[in-house]
mmCIF file of all heavy atoms in Angstrom:
data_model
loop_
_atom_site.group_PDB
_atom_site.id
_atom_site.type_symbol
_atom_site.label_atom_id
_atom_site.label_comp_id
_atom_site.label_asym_id
_atom_site.label_seq_id
_atom_site.Cartn_x
_atom_site.Cartn_y
_atom_site.Cartn_z
ATOM 1 N N ASP A 1 10.848 -18.305 -21.484
ATOM 2 C CA ASP A 1 10.973 -18.449 -20.029
ATOM 3 C C ASP A 1 12.232 -17.755 -19.527
ATOM 4 O O ASP A 1 13.009 -18.304 -18.735
ATOM 5 C CB ASP A 1 10.995 -19.929 -19.627
ATOM 6 C CG ASP A 1 9.671 -20.617 -19.916
ATOM 7 O OD1 ASP A 1 8.625 -19.988 -19.681
ATOM 8 O OD2 ASP A 1 9.688 -21.764 -20.395
ATOM 9 N N CYS A 2 12.440 -16.555 -20.005
ATOM 10 C CA CYS A 2 13.631 -15.761 -19.664
ATOM 11 C C CYS A 2 13.282 -14.765 -18.563
ATOM 12 O O CYS A 2 12.385 -13.936 -18.727
ATOM 13 C CB CYS A 2 14.136 -15.029 -20.903
ATOM 14 S SG CYS A 2 15.576 -13.992 -20.614
ATOM 15 N N GLU A 3 13.970 -14.865 -17.451
ATOM 16 C CA GLU A 3 13.710 -13.994 -16.299
ATOM 17 C C GLU A 3 14.723 -12.853 -16.256
ATOM 18 O O GLU A 3 15.923 -13.067 -16.441
ATOM 19 C CB GLU A 3 13.790 -14.796 -15.003
ATOM 20 C CG GLU A 3 13.492 -13.979 -13.745
ATOM 21 C CD GLU A 3 13.573 -14.787 -12.473
ATOM 22 O OE1 GLU A 3 13.515 -16.044 -12.549
ATOM 23 O OE2 GLU A 3 13.707 -14.180 -11.394
ATOM 24 N N VAL A 4 14.241 -11.656 -15.994
ATOM 25 C CA VAL A 4 15.109 -10.490 -15.877
ATOM 26 C C VAL A 4 15.378 -10.206 -14.401
ATOM 27 O O VAL A 4 14.450 -10.180 -13.583
ATOM 28 C CB VAL A 4 14.490 -9.249 -16.550
ATOM 29 C CG1 VAL A 4 15.356 -8.004 -16.325
ATOM 30 C CG2 VAL A 4 14.308 -9.500 -18.042
ATOM 31 N N ILE A 5 16.649 -10.014 -14.069
ATOM 32 C CA ILE A 5 17.060 -9.748 -12.687
ATOM 33 C C ILE A 5 17.846 -8.433 -12.651
ATOM 34 O O ILE A 5 18.669 -8.173 -13.530
ATOM 35 C CB ILE A 5 17.920 -10.900 -12.139
ATOM 36 C CG1 ILE A 5 17.076 -12.176 -12.063
ATOM 37 C CG2 ILE A 5 18.497 -10.565 -10.757
ATOM 38 C CD1 ILE A 5 17.829 -13.395 -11.581
ATOM 39 N N GLY A 6 17.573 -7.635 -11.647
ATOM 40 C CA GLY A 6 18.235 -6.352 -11.527
ATOM 41 C C GLY A 6 19.414 -6.370 -10.577
ATOM 42 O O GLY A 6 19.438 -7.122 -9.604
ATOM 43 N N GLY A 7 20.390 -5.539 -10.880
ATOM 44 C CA GLY A 7 21.494 -5.279 -9.972
ATOM 45 C C GLY A 7 21.420 -3.840 -9.508
ATOM 46 O O GLY A 7 21.143 -2.927 -10.311
ATOM 47 N N GLU A 8 21.635 -3.617 -8.212
ATOM 48 C CA GLU A 8 21.466 -2.273 -7.659
ATOM 49 C C GLU A 8 22.502 -2.027 -6.563
ATOM 50 O O GLU A 8 22.801 -2.924 -5.777
ATOM 51 C CB GLU A 8 20.049 -2.127 -7.089
ATOM 52 C CG GLU A 8 19.686 -0.703 -6.710
ATOM 53 C CD GLU A 8 18.222 -0.565 -6.314
ATOM 54 O OE1 GLU A 8 17.686 -1.493 -5.654
ATOM 55 O OE2 GLU A 8 17.621 0.460 -6.642
ATOM 56 N N PRO A 9 23.063 -0.822 -6.490
ATOM 57 C CA PRO A 9 24.005 -0.526 -5.415
ATOM 58 C C PRO A 9 23.317 -0.503 -4.050
ATOM 59 O O PRO A 9 22.193 -0.004 -3.926
ATOM 60 C CB PRO A 9 24.518 0.877 -5.762
ATOM 61 C CG PRO A 9 24.140 1.111 -7.185
ATOM 62 C CD PRO A 9 22.898 0.311 -7.414
ATOM 63 N N LEU A 10 23.983 -1.033 -3.056
ATOM 64 C CA LEU A 10 23.469 -0.937 -1.692
ATOM 65 C C LEU A 10 23.264 0.513 -1.275
ATOM 66 O O LEU A 10 22.373 0.818 -0.473
ATOM 67 C CB LEU A 10 24.443 -1.615 -0.721
ATOM 68 C CG LEU A 10 24.270 -3.122 -0.498
ATOM 69 C CD1 LEU A 10 25.516 -3.692 0.169
ATOM 70 C CD2 LEU A 10 23.039 -3.401 0.344
ATOM 71 N N GLU A 11 24.093 1.402 -1.815
ATOM 72 C CA GLU A 11 24.038 2.814 -1.439
ATOM 73 C C GLU A 11 22.897 3.574 -2.125
ATOM 74 O O GLU A 11 22.694 4.753 -1.828
ATOM 75 C CB GLU A 11 25.371 3.489 -1.770
ATOM 76 C CG GLU A 11 26.566 2.939 -1.007
ATOM 77 C CD GLU A 11 26.504 3.230 0.487
ATOM 78 O OE1 GLU A 11 25.888 4.245 0.864
ATOM 79 O OE2 GLU A 11 27.064 2.451 1.273
ATOM 80 N N ALA A 12 22.189 2.924 -3.027
ATOM 81 C CA ALA A 12 21.051 3.550 -3.707
ATOM 82 C C ALA A 12 20.061 2.449 -4.076
ATOM 83 O O ALA A 12 19.818 2.163 -5.238
ATOM 84 C CB ALA A 12 21.508 4.310 -4.947
ATOM 85 N N ASP A 13 19.480 1.828 -3.041
ATOM 86 C CA ASP A 13 18.688 0.606 -3.235
ATOM 87 C C ASP A 13 17.186 0.846 -3.180
ATOM 88 O O ASP A 13 16.424 0.023 -2.691
ATOM 89 C CB ASP A 13 19.086 -0.443 -2.197
ATOM 90 C CG ASP A 13 18.723 -0.049 -0.769
ATOM 91 O OD1 ASP A 13 18.416 1.143 -0.542
ATOM 92 O OD2 ASP A 13 18.732 -0.936 0.101
ATOM 93 N N ASP A 14 16.736 1.969 -3.745
ATOM 94 C CA ASP A 14 15.316 2.303 -3.689
ATOM 95 C C ASP A 14 14.438 1.290 -4.417
ATOM 96 O O ASP A 14 13.318 1.001 -3.983
ATOM 97 C CB ASP A 14 15.077 3.704 -4.267
ATOM 98 C CG ASP A 14 15.576 3.827 -5.698
ATOM 99 O OD1 ASP A 14 16.805 3.778 -5.891
ATOM 100 O OD2 ASP A 14 14.748 3.975 -6.619
ATOM 101 N N ALA A 15 14.924 0.721 -5.524
ATOM 102 C CA ALA A 15 14.113 -0.257 -6.269
ATOM 103 C C ALA A 15 13.926 -1.541 -5.457
ATOM 104 O O ALA A 15 12.825 -2.105 -5.413
ATOM 105 C CB ALA A 15 14.765 -0.568 -7.612
ATOM 106 N N TYR A 16 14.989 -1.989 -4.816
ATOM 107 C CA TYR A 16 14.908 -3.180 -3.952
ATOM 108 C C TYR A 16 13.866 -2.965 -2.860
ATOM 109 O O TYR A 16 13.004 -3.820 -2.621
ATOM 110 C CB TYR A 16 16.279 -3.449 -3.344
ATOM 111 C CG TYR A 16 16.319 -4.583 -2.345
ATOM 112 C CD1 TYR A 16 16.517 -5.902 -2.761
ATOM 113 C CD2 TYR A 16 16.167 -4.349 -0.974
ATOM 114 C CE1 TYR A 16 16.556 -6.946 -1.847
ATOM 115 C CE2 TYR A 16 16.201 -5.384 -0.058
ATOM 116 C CZ TYR A 16 16.402 -6.677 -0.502
ATOM 117 O OH TYR A 16 16.441 -7.703 0.415
ATOM 118 N N ARG A 17 13.925 -1.811 -2.202
ATOM 119 C CA ARG A 17 12.987 -1.517 -1.120
ATOM 120 C C ARG A 17 11.567 -1.278 -1.641
ATOM 121 O O ARG A 17 10.587 -1.604 -0.970
ATOM 122 C CB ARG A 17 13.474 -0.313 -0.313
ATOM 123 C CG ARG A 17 14.725 -0.625 0.515
ATOM 124 C CD ARG A 17 15.203 0.561 1.345
ATOM 125 N NE ARG A 17 15.862 1.572 0.534
ATOM 126 C CZ ARG A 17 15.358 2.762 0.238
ATOM 127 N NH1 ARG A 17 14.151 3.109 0.694
ATOM 128 N NH2 ARG A 17 16.027 3.621 -0.509
ATOM 129 N N SER A 18 11.460 -0.737 -2.850
ATOM 130 C CA SER A 18 10.143 -0.499 -3.451
ATOM 131 C C SER A 18 9.414 -1.812 -3.737
ATOM 132 O O SER A 18 8.207 -1.925 -3.516
ATOM 133 C CB SER A 18 10.291 0.314 -4.741
ATOM 134 O OG SER A 18 10.829 1.596 -4.482
ATOM 135 N N LEU A 19 10.158 -2.801 -4.228
ATOM 136 C CA LEU A 19 9.548 -4.108 -4.473
ATOM 137 C C LEU A 19 9.035 -4.725 -3.175
ATOM 138 O O LEU A 19 7.979 -5.355 -3.150
ATOM 139 C CB LEU A 19 10.554 -5.062 -5.128
ATOM 140 C CG LEU A 19 10.633 -5.097 -6.655
ATOM 141 C CD1 LEU A 19 11.517 -6.253 -7.121
ATOM 142 C CD2 LEU A 19 9.256 -5.217 -7.299
ATOM 143 N N LEU A 20 9.784 -4.538 -2.099
ATOM 144 C CA LEU A 20 9.380 -5.101 -0.812
ATOM 145 C C LEU A 20 8.152 -4.404 -0.242
ATOM 146 O O LEU A 20 7.245 -5.051 0.284
ATOM 147 C CB LEU A 20 10.537 -5.008 0.196
ATOM 148 C CG LEU A 20 11.740 -5.931 -0.026
ATOM 149 C CD1 LEU A 20 12.808 -5.669 1.036
ATOM 150 C CD2 LEU A 20 11.317 -7.399 0.004
ATOM 151 N N SER A 21 8.109 -3.087 -0.347
ATOM 152 C CA SER A 21 7.038 -2.308 0.290
ATOM 153 C C SER A 21 5.790 -2.181 -0.573
ATOM 154 O O SER A 21 4.700 -1.896 -0.075
ATOM 155 C CB SER A 21 7.547 -0.908 0.644
ATOM 156 O OG SER A 21 7.763 -0.133 -0.526
ATOM 157 N N GLY A 22 5.965 -2.362 -1.892
ATOM 158 C CA GLY A 22 4.834 -2.217 -2.792
ATOM 159 C C GLY A 22 4.534 -0.790 -3.184
ATOM 160 O O GLY A 22 3.513 -0.498 -3.801
ATOM 161 N N LYS A 23 5.428 0.140 -2.845
ATOM 162 C CA LYS A 23 5.276 1.539 -3.251
ATOM 163 C C LYS A 23 6.653 2.125 -3.560
ATOM 164 O O LYS A 23 7.674 1.562 -3.165
ATOM 165 C CB LYS A 23 4.591 2.361 -2.154
ATOM 166 C CG LYS A 23 5.333 2.407 -0.828
ATOM 167 C CD LYS A 23 4.498 3.118 0.222
ATOM 168 C CE LYS A 23 5.189 3.161 1.582
ATOM 169 N NZ LYS A 23 6.366 4.027 1.621
ATOM 170 N N ILE A 24 6.663 3.219 -4.306
ATOM 171 C CA ILE A 24 7.929 3.816 -4.715
ATOM 172 C C ILE A 24 8.638 4.413 -3.504
ATOM 173 O O ILE A 24 8.096 5.296 -2.826
ATOM 174 C CB ILE A 24 7.715 4.889 -5.787
ATOM 175 C CG1 ILE A 24 7.129 4.264 -7.053
ATOM 176 C CG2 ILE A 24 9.033 5.597 -6.110
ATOM 177 C CD1 ILE A 24 6.788 5.260 -8.147
ATOM 178 N N GLU A 25 9.824 3.904 -3.229
ATOM 179 C CA GLU A 25 10.648 4.412 -2.135
ATOM 180 C C GLU A 25 11.686 5.383 -2.680
ATOM 181 O O GLU A 25 12.012 5.376 -3.867
ATOM 182 C CB GLU A 25 11.352 3.251 -1.421
ATOM 183 C CG GLU A 25 10.415 2.199 -0.843
ATOM 184 C CD GLU A 25 9.663 2.688 0.388
ATOM 185 O OE1 GLU A 25 10.022 3.753 0.925
ATOM 186 O OE2 GLU A 25 8.710 1.993 0.811
ATOM 187 N N THR A 26 12.220 6.206 -1.797
ATOM 188 C CA THR A 26 13.250 7.172 -2.197
ATOM 189 C C THR A 26 14.563 6.859 -1.494
ATOM 190 O O THR A 26 14.610 6.055 -0.559
ATOM 191 C CB THR A 26 12.818 8.608 -1.846
ATOM 192 O OG1 THR A 26 12.593 8.697 -0.426
ATOM 193 C CG2 THR A 26 11.533 8.976 -2.572
#
């Protein structure tokens, strides 16, 4: 039951936005 959490810079937050939108953001 180990959860993986990502850390991402605000200045390059494409992964954060990709999870929200459901598609790869740039």
Side-chain angles (χ1 to χ4, degrees):
D1 294 320
C2 179
E3 182 180 342
V4 175
I5 295 178
E8 190 173 38
L10 273 165
E11 297 293 332
D13 66 345
D14 57 292
Y16 175 87
R17 290 181 285 108
S18 297
L19 270 189
L20 289 178
S21 70
K23 61 186 179 69
I24 297 176
E25 302 288 348
T26 59

